[in-house]
Amino acid sequence: MPIIIDGKKISDQIKLEIKKEIEEKNLKPGLAVVLVGEDTASRVYVRNKKLACEFVGIESHSFNLDASTTESELLDLIEKLNTDNKINGILIQLPLPKHIDKEKILNAINPEKDVDGFHPLNIGRLYTGHPGLVPCTPAGIMALLRAYDINIEGQHAVIVGRSNIVGKPISQMLLDAGATISICHSKTKDLGAIIRQADILVVAVGVAKLIKKSMIKKGAVIIDVGTNKDADGKLCGDVDFADVEDYCSAITPVPGGVGPMTIAMLMKNCMGSIKNKNVT
């Protein structure tokens, strides 16, 4: 049987550490969470983030805006939050309504308050090896690998998916940790042949049960970032867990694997922001 990588357990440990630090140092971090529109999934994500803030002691400032909010109005709000000393982190819940330019909005956030790690300056810092706020899901993956003492150095890590949110940043983080990297995507030829080389496999494409036992190397470590519904309407990942379970050495379940770590690392980024000398 493989090691089941328990993201909830590790995320709870991280949040407890943050809570303790806030209490011991009498810190007063503040996180602004901006939601535009009525997207049901986004509301669930925002609620979970607010609950995490409440637990660790970060003051959550909610801004629930109508779907008709203009780009200019949203930019004005971001500018106010950028200069508000009570706010250490700014999170714009995605997706945004189609009439709003996502890139323009994300670029308007003060990089030192960019707790999602999506600002080009923070991405540049990541790729050039400089400290900065990094995307939460990849940071959570790295924290899980460290927590379970999974060796990265010298391993072949294959990432399936090339998004700016997960695929690209996790490839850089694994590269920095000493892995050899292959990135696969929708145009990759003979996907299975490349995946079967993976000592560490990270899958983040949003296709239910895409990865089967026949596609992986025996003893591989599998990190499943996907969140999907299967034919029966049950939550599942991009990896067919039941099919690969007896063939890999360690695997993250869905739910309970990578998901909880994303919010834990958001809390950690908010703490990183309050410690930054550029934020008063």
Side-chain angles (χ1 to χ4, degrees):
M1 293 292 291
I3 296 169
I4 306 300
I5 299 174
D6 190 342
K8 186 177 186 308
K9 174 185 174 183
I10 303 304
S11 69
D12 285 347
Q13 291 174 358
I14 291 170
K15 286 185 289 187
L16 280 171
E17 291 169 3
I18 294 170
K19 178 181 176 69
K20 181 179 179 181
E21 183 176 7
I22 288 173
E23 292 173 350
E24 289 180 348
K25 296 182 179 179
N26 195 29
L27 300 174
K28 299 185 182 301
L31 174 65
V33 181
V34 181
L35 175 64
V36 185
E38 301 292 333
D39 185 84
T40 302
S42 291
R43 287 192 172 277
V44 171
Y45 295 145
V46 166
R47 182 191 67 200
N48 290 340
K49 290 166 185 174
K50 289 168 67 176
L51 288 172
C53 284
E54 183 178 337
F55 175 78
V56 303
I58 293 174
E59 186 173 354
S60 176
H61 304 262
S62 298
F63 299 86
N64 299 322
L65 309 179
D66 292 337
S68 60
T69 299
T70 66
E71 185 175 276
S72 177
E73 289 170 336
L74 184 52
L75 287 169
D76 286 344
L77 172 60
I78 291 171
E79 182 55 33
K80 290 177 182 177
L81 297 174
N82 280 340
T83 57
D84 187 340
N85 290 338
K86 297 190 300 296
I87 302 297
N88 304 102
I90 301 171
L91 185 150
I92 307 297
Q93 183 63 47
L94 302 177
L96 291 168
K98 292 182 180 179
H99 66 277
I100 296 178
D101 185 335
K102 179 186 74 173
E103 297 304 323
K104 185 182 293 186
I105 296 303
L106 297 179
N107 291 354
I109 298 172
N110 177 351
E112 308 304 333
K113 297 187 179 187
D114 168 40
V115 287
D116 265 330
F118 293 160
H119 193 283
L121 182 58
N122 284 322
I123 294 297
R125 286 170 173 165
L126 170 62
Y127 277 82
T128 54
H130 291 83
L133 297 172
V134 298
C136 299
T137 300
I141 292 170
M142 296 301 292
L144 284 177
L145 294 173
R146 289 192 297 268
Y148 279 83
D149 294 321
I150 292 171
N151 180 46
I152 299 173
E153 188 172 353
Q155 301 297 294
H156 186 180
V158 175
I159 298 92
V160 185
R162 53 177 172 176
S163 73
N164 292 331
I165 296 173
V166 180
K168 291 178 183 177
I170 189 59
S171 67
Q172 185 62 44
M173 292 179 190
L174 288 167
L175 180 65
D176 289 343
T180 297
I181 304 299
S182 295
I183 303 176
C184 301
H185 46 79
S186 59
K187 302 296 189 294
T188 299
K189 296 180 180 179
D190 200 353
L191 180 65
I194 298 176
I195 291 176
R196 278 189 290 274
Q197 300 175 36
D199 301 304
I200 300 172
L201 176 64
V202 180
V203 191
V205 290
V207 179
K209 301 182 180 181
L210 171 69
I211 306 301
K212 307 293 185 182
K213 177 178 179 177
S214 62
M215 301 171 71
I216 68 169
K217 174 196 286 189
K218 185 172 179 59
V221 173
I222 300 178
I223 305 295
D224 189 352
V225 187
T227 304
N228 314 287
K229 294 285 184 69
D230 65 15
D232 298 322
K234 294 182 180 178
L235 201 62
C236 68
D238 291 346
V239 177
D240 190 334
F241 186 94
D243 192 43
V244 308
E245 185 179 6
D246 64 348
Y247 205 65
C248 58
S249 63
I251 187 170
T252 58
V254 177
V258 175
M261 294 298 294
T262 299
I263 292 180
M265 302 316 286
L266 173 66
M267 300 297 103
K268 194 165 186 177
N269 271 356
C270 196
M271 286 297 293
S273 183
I274 197 174
K275 293 174 186 177
N276 193 297
K277 294 179 180 179
N278 294 321
V279 178
T280 56

CSV table of all heavy atoms in Angstrom, one decimal, residues 22 27-33 53 56-63 81 84-91 112-115 266-267 269-271 273-275 279-280:
chain,number,residue,atom,x,y,z
A,22,ILE,N,1.1,34.5,15.4
A,22,ILE,CA,0.3,35.7,15.5
A,22,ILE,C,0.1,36.1,17.0
A,22,ILE,O,0.2,37.2,17.3
A,22,ILE,CB,-1.0,35.5,14.7
A,22,ILE,CG1,-0.7,35.5,13.2
A,22,ILE,CG2,-2.0,36.6,15.1
A,22,ILE,CD1,-1.9,35.2,12.4
A,27,LEU,N,0.6,40.1,16.4
A,27,LEU,CA,0.5,40.7,15.1
A,27,LEU,C,-1.0,40.9,14.8
A,27,LEU,O,-1.9,40.2,15.3
A,27,LEU,CB,1.1,39.7,14.1
A,27,LEU,CG,2.6,39.4,14.2
A,27,LEU,CD1,3.1,38.3,13.2
A,27,LEU,CD2,3.4,40.7,14.1
A,28,LYS,N,-1.2,41.8,13.8
A,28,LYS,CA,-2.6,42.1,13.4
A,28,LYS,C,-2.7,42.1,11.9
A,28,LYS,O,-2.9,43.1,11.3
A,28,LYS,CB,-3.1,43.4,14.0
A,28,LYS,CG,-3.1,43.5,15.5
A,28,LYS,CD,-3.6,44.7,16.0
A,28,LYS,CE,-3.6,44.8,17.6
A,28,LYS,NZ,-4.3,43.7,18.2
A,29,PRO,N,-2.4,40.9,11.3
A,29,PRO,CA,-2.5,40.9,9.8
A,29,PRO,C,-3.9,41.0,9.3
A,29,PRO,O,-4.9,40.6,10.0
A,29,PRO,CB,-1.9,39.5,9.5
A,29,PRO,CG,-2.2,38.7,10.7
A,29,PRO,CD,-2.1,39.6,11.8
A,30,GLY,N,-4.1,41.6,8.1
A,30,GLY,CA,-5.4,41.8,7.5
A,30,GLY,C,-5.4,41.3,6.1
A,30,GLY,O,-4.5,41.6,5.3
A,31,LEU,N,-6.4,40.5,5.7
A,31,LEU,CA,-6.5,40.0,4.3
A,31,LEU,C,-7.8,40.5,3.7
A,31,LEU,O,-8.9,40.3,4.2
A,31,LEU,CB,-6.5,38.5,4.3
A,31,LEU,CG,-6.8,37.8,3.0
A,31,LEU,CD1,-5.6,38.1,2.0
A,31,LEU,CD2,-6.9,36.3,3.2
A,32,ALA,N,-7.7,41.2,2.5
A,32,ALA,CA,-8.8,41.7,1.8
A,32,ALA,C,-9.2,40.6,0.7
A,32,ALA,O,-8.3,40.3,-0.1
A,32,ALA,CB,-8.5,43.0,1.1
A,33,VAL,N,-10.4,40.1,0.8
A,33,VAL,CA,-10.9,39.1,-0.2
A,33,VAL,C,-12.0,39.8,-1.0
A,33,VAL,O,-13.0,40.2,-0.5
A,33,VAL,CB,-11.4,37.9,0.5
A,33,VAL,CG1,-11.9,36.9,-0.5
A,33,VAL,CG2,-10.4,37.3,1.4
A,53,CYS,N,-8.9,32.2,8.0
A,53,CYS,CA,-8.4,33.5,8.6
A,53,CYS,C,-8.9,33.6,10.0
A,53,CYS,O,-8.1,34.0,10.9
A,53,CYS,CB,-9.0,34.7,7.8
A,53,CYS,SG,-8.1,35.0,6.2
A,56,VAL,N,-6.8,31.3,12.3
A,56,VAL,CA,-5.4,31.6,12.6
A,56,VAL,C,-5.2,33.0,13.3
A,56,VAL,O,-4.2,33.3,13.8
A,56,VAL,CB,-4.5,31.5,11.4
A,56,VAL,CG1,-4.5,30.1,10.8
A,56,VAL,CG2,-4.8,32.6,10.3
A,57,GLY,N,-6.3,33.8,13.1
A,57,GLY,CA,-6.2,35.2,13.7
A,57,GLY,C,-5.9,36.3,12.7
A,57,GLY,O,-5.4,37.3,13.1
A,58,ILE,N,-6.1,36.0,11.4
A,58,ILE,CA,-6.0,37.0,10.4
A,58,ILE,C,-7.4,37.7,10.2
A,58,ILE,O,-8.4,37.0,10.0
A,58,ILE,CB,-5.5,36.4,9.1
A,58,ILE,CG1,-4.1,35.9,9.2
A,58,ILE,CG2,-5.6,37.4,7.9
A,58,ILE,CD1,-3.5,35.2,8.0
A,59,GLU,N,-7.4,39.0,10.3
A,59,GLU,CA,-8.7,39.7,10.1
A,59,GLU,C,-9.0,39.7,8.6
A,59,GLU,O,-8.3,40.2,7.8
A,59,GLU,CB,-8.6,41.2,10.6
A,59,GLU,CG,-9.9,41.9,10.5
A,59,GLU,CD,-9.9,43.2,11.2
A,59,GLU,OE1,-8.8,43.6,11.8
A,59,GLU,OE2,-10.9,44.0,11.1
A,60,SER,N,-10.2,39.2,8.3
A,60,SER,CA,-10.7,39.1,6.9
A,60,SER,C,-11.6,40.2,6.6
A,60,SER,O,-12.6,40.5,7.3
A,60,SER,CB,-11.4,37.7,6.7
A,60,SER,OG,-11.9,37.6,5.4
A,61,HIS,N,-11.2,41.0,5.5
A,61,HIS,CA,-12.1,42.1,5.1
A,61,HIS,C,-12.7,41.6,3.7
A,61,HIS,O,-12.0,41.5,2.7
A,61,HIS,CB,-11.2,43.3,4.8
A,61,HIS,CG,-10.5,43.8,6.1
A,61,HIS,ND1,-10.9,44.8,6.9
A,61,HIS,CD2,-9.3,43.3,6.6
A,61,HIS,CE1,-10.1,44.9,7.9
A,61,HIS,NE2,-9.1,44.1,7.8
A,62,SER,N,-14.0,41.5,3.7
A,62,SER,CA,-14.7,41.0,2.5
A,62,SER,C,-15.3,42.1,1.7
A,62,SER,O,-15.9,43.1,2.3
A,62,SER,CB,-15.8,40.0,3.0
A,62,SER,OG,-15.3,38.9,3.6
A,63,PHE,N,-15.1,42.0,0.4
A,63,PHE,CA,-15.7,42.9,-0.5
A,63,PHE,C,-16.5,42.1,-1.6
A,63,PHE,O,-15.9,41.6,-2.5
A,63,PHE,CB,-14.6,43.8,-1.2
A,63,PHE,CG,-13.8,44.6,-0.2
A,63,PHE,CD1,-12.7,44.1,0.5
A,63,PHE,CD2,-14.2,45.9,0.1
A,63,PHE,CE1,-12.0,44.8,1.4
A,63,PHE,CE2,-13.5,46.7,1.0
A,63,PHE,CZ,-12.4,46.1,1.7
A,81,LEU,N,-7.0,49.6,-1.4
A,81,LEU,CA,-6.5,48.5,-0.6
A,81,LEU,C,-4.9,48.5,-0.6
A,81,LEU,O,-4.3,48.2,0.4
A,81,LEU,CB,-7.0,47.2,-1.1
A,81,LEU,CG,-8.5,46.9,-1.0
A,81,LEU,CD1,-8.9,45.6,-1.7
A,81,LEU,CD2,-9.0,47.0,0.5
A,84,ASP,N,-3.9,51.0,2.1
A,84,ASP,CA,-4.5,50.8,3.4
A,84,ASP,C,-3.5,50.0,4.3
A,84,ASP,O,-3.3,48.8,4.0
A,84,ASP,CB,-5.8,50.0,3.3
A,84,ASP,CG,-6.6,49.9,4.6
A,84,ASP,OD1,-6.0,50.1,5.7
A,84,ASP,OD2,-7.8,49.7,4.5
A,85,ASN,N,-3.0,50.6,5.4
A,85,ASN,CA,-2.0,49.9,6.2
A,85,ASN,C,-2.6,48.7,7.0
A,85,ASN,O,-1.9,47.9,7.6
A,85,ASN,CB,-1.4,50.9,7.2
A,85,ASN,CG,-0.5,51.9,6.4
A,85,ASN,OD1,0.0,51.6,5.3
A,85,ASN,ND2,-0.3,53.1,7.0
A,86,LYS,N,-3.9,48.7,7.1
A,86,LYS,CA,-4.6,47.5,7.8
A,86,LYS,C,-4.6,46.3,7.0
A,86,LYS,O,-4.8,45.2,7.5
A,86,LYS,CB,-6.0,47.9,8.3
A,86,LYS,CG,-6.1,49.1,9.2
A,86,LYS,CD,-7.5,49.2,9.8
A,86,LYS,CE,-8.5,49.4,8.7
A,86,LYS,NZ,-8.3,50.7,8.0
A,87,ILE,N,-4.4,46.4,5.7
A,87,ILE,CA,-4.4,45.3,4.7
A,87,ILE,C,-3.0,44.9,4.4
A,87,ILE,O,-2.3,45.7,3.8
A,87,ILE,CB,-5.2,45.7,3.5
A,87,ILE,CG1,-6.6,46.2,3.8
A,87,ILE,CG2,-5.2,44.6,2.5
A,87,ILE,CD1,-7.5,45.1,4.4
A,88,ASN,N,-2.7,43.6,4.7
A,88,ASN,CA,-1.4,43.1,4.3
A,88,ASN,C,-1.4,42.2,3.1
A,88,ASN,O,-0.4,41.9,2.5
A,88,ASN,CB,-0.8,42.3,5.5
A,88,ASN,CG,-0.7,43.2,6.8
A,88,ASN,OD1,-1.6,43.0,7.6
A,88,ASN,ND2,0.2,44.0,6.8
A,89,GLY,N,-2.6,41.7,2.8
A,89,GLY,CA,-2.8,40.8,1.6
A,89,GLY,C,-4.0,41.2,0.9
A,89,GLY,O,-5.1,41.5,1.5
A,90,ILE,N,-4.0,41.1,-0.5
A,90,ILE,CA,-5.1,41.3,-1.3
A,90,ILE,C,-5.3,40.1,-2.2
A,90,ILE,O,-4.4,39.7,-2.9
A,90,ILE,CB,-4.9,42.6,-2.2
A,90,ILE,CG1,-4.7,43.8,-1.3
A,90,ILE,CG2,-6.1,42.8,-3.1
A,90,ILE,CD1,-4.3,45.0,-2.2
A,91,LEU,N,-6.5,39.6,-2.1
A,91,LEU,CA,-6.9,38.4,-2.9
A,91,LEU,C,-8.1,38.7,-3.8
A,91,LEU,O,-9.2,39.1,-3.3
A,91,LEU,CB,-7.2,37.2,-2.0
A,91,LEU,CG,-7.5,35.9,-2.7
A,91,LEU,CD1,-7.0,34.7,-1.8
A,91,LEU,CD2,-8.9,35.7,-3.0
A,112,GLU,N,3.8,43.4,-3.0
A,112,GLU,CA,4.1,43.0,-1.6
A,112,GLU,C,2.8,42.6,-0.9
A,112,GLU,O,2.9,42.0,0.2
A,112,GLU,CB,4.8,44.2,-0.9
A,112,GLU,CG,6.0,44.8,-1.5
A,112,GLU,CD,7.1,43.7,-1.8
A,112,GLU,OE1,7.1,42.7,-1.1
A,112,GLU,OE2,7.8,43.9,-2.8
A,113,LYS,N,1.7,42.8,-1.5
A,113,LYS,CA,0.4,42.4,-0.9
A,113,LYS,C,-0.3,41.3,-1.8
A,113,LYS,O,-1.4,40.9,-1.5
A,113,LYS,CB,-0.6,43.6,-0.8
A,113,LYS,CG,-0.1,44.6,0.2
A,113,LYS,CD,-1.2,45.7,0.4
A,113,LYS,CE,-0.7,46.8,1.4
A,113,LYS,NZ,-1.8,47.7,1.8
A,114,ASP,N,0.4,40.8,-2.8
A,114,ASP,CA,-0.1,39.8,-3.7
A,114,ASP,C,0.0,38.4,-3.2
A,114,ASP,O,0.9,37.6,-3.5
A,114,ASP,CB,0.7,39.9,-5.0
A,114,ASP,CG,0.5,38.8,-6.0
A,114,ASP,OD1,-0.6,38.4,-6.1
A,114,ASP,OD2,1.5,38.3,-6.6
A,115,VAL,N,-0.9,38.1,-2.2
A,115,VAL,CA,-0.8,36.8,-1.5
A,115,VAL,C,-1.1,35.6,-2.4
A,115,VAL,O,-0.9,34.5,-2.0
A,115,VAL,CB,-1.7,36.8,-0.3
A,115,VAL,CG1,-1.2,37.7,0.8
A,115,VAL,CG2,-3.2,37.2,-0.6
A,266,LEU,N,-1.9,30.2,1.6
A,266,LEU,CA,-2.5,31.6,1.5
A,266,LEU,C,-2.3,32.3,2.8
A,266,LEU,O,-1.9,33.5,2.9
A,266,LEU,CB,-3.9,31.5,1.1
A,266,LEU,CG,-4.7,32.9,1.1
A,266,LEU,CD1,-4.1,33.8,0.1
A,266,LEU,CD2,-6.2,32.7,0.9
A,267,MET,N,-2.6,31.6,3.9
A,267,MET,CA,-2.4,32.2,5.2
A,267,MET,C,-0.9,32.5,5.4
A,267,MET,O,-0.5,33.5,6.0
A,267,MET,CB,-2.9,31.2,6.3
A,267,MET,CG,-4.3,30.8,6.2
A,267,MET,SD,-5.5,32.1,6.5
A,267,MET,CE,-6.0,32.4,4.8
A,269,ASN,N,1.3,33.1,3.1
A,269,ASN,CA,1.7,34.3,2.3
A,269,ASN,C,1.3,35.6,3.0
A,269,ASN,O,2.0,36.6,2.9
A,269,ASN,CB,1.1,34.1,0.9
A,269,ASN,CG,2.0,33.4,-0.1
A,269,ASN,OD1,3.1,33.0,0.3
A,269,ASN,ND2,1.5,33.2,-1.3
A,270,CYS,N,0.1,35.5,3.6
A,270,CYS,CA,-0.3,36.8,4.3
A,270,CYS,C,0.6,37.1,5.4
A,270,CYS,O,0.9,38.3,5.6
A,270,CYS,CB,-1.8,36.6,4.8
A,270,CYS,SG,-2.6,38.1,5.3
A,271,MET,N,1.1,36.1,6.1
A,271,MET,CA,2.1,36.3,7.1
A,271,MET,C,3.4,36.8,6.5
A,271,MET,O,4.1,37.7,7.1
A,271,MET,CB,2.4,35.1,7.9
A,271,MET,CG,1.3,34.7,8.9
A,271,MET,SD,1.0,35.9,10.2
A,271,MET,CE,2.6,35.7,11.0
A,273,SER,N,3.7,38.6,3.9
A,273,SER,CA,3.5,40.0,3.5
A,273,SER,C,3.6,40.9,4.7
A,273,SER,O,4.2,42.0,4.6
A,273,SER,CB,2.1,40.1,2.9
A,273,SER,OG,1.9,41.4,2.4
A,274,ILE,N,3.1,40.5,5.8
A,274,ILE,CA,3.1,41.5,7.0
A,274,ILE,C,4.6,41.6,7.5
A,274,ILE,O,4.9,42.6,8.1
A,274,ILE,CB,2.2,41.0,8.1
A,274,ILE,CG1,1.9,42.1,9.1
A,274,ILE,CG2,2.8,39.8,8.9
A,274,ILE,CD1,1.0,41.8,10.2
A,275,LYS,N,5.4,40.6,7.3
A,275,LYS,CA,6.8,40.7,7.7
A,275,LYS,C,7.7,41.5,6.7
A,275,LYS,O,8.8,41.9,7.1
A,275,LYS,CB,7.4,39.3,7.8
A,275,LYS,CG,6.8,38.4,8.9
A,275,LYS,CD,7.3,37.0,8.8
A,275,LYS,CE,6.6,36.1,9.8
A,275,LYS,NZ,7.1,34.7,9.6
A,279,VAL,N,5.9,46.7,3.6
A,279,VAL,CA,4.5,46.8,4.0
A,279,VAL,C,4.4,47.3,5.4
A,279,VAL,O,5.0,46.7,6.3
A,279,VAL,CB,3.7,45.5,3.9
A,279,VAL,CG1,2.3,45.6,4.3
A,279,VAL,CG2,3.8,45.0,2.4
A,280,THR,N,3.8,48.4,5.6
A,280,THR,CA,3.7,49.0,7.0
A,280,THR,C,2.5,48.6,7.7
A,280,THR,O,1.6,48.1,7.1
A,280,THR,CB,3.8,50.6,6.9
A,280,THR,OG1,2.7,51.0,6.1
A,280,THR,CG2,5.1,51.0,6.3
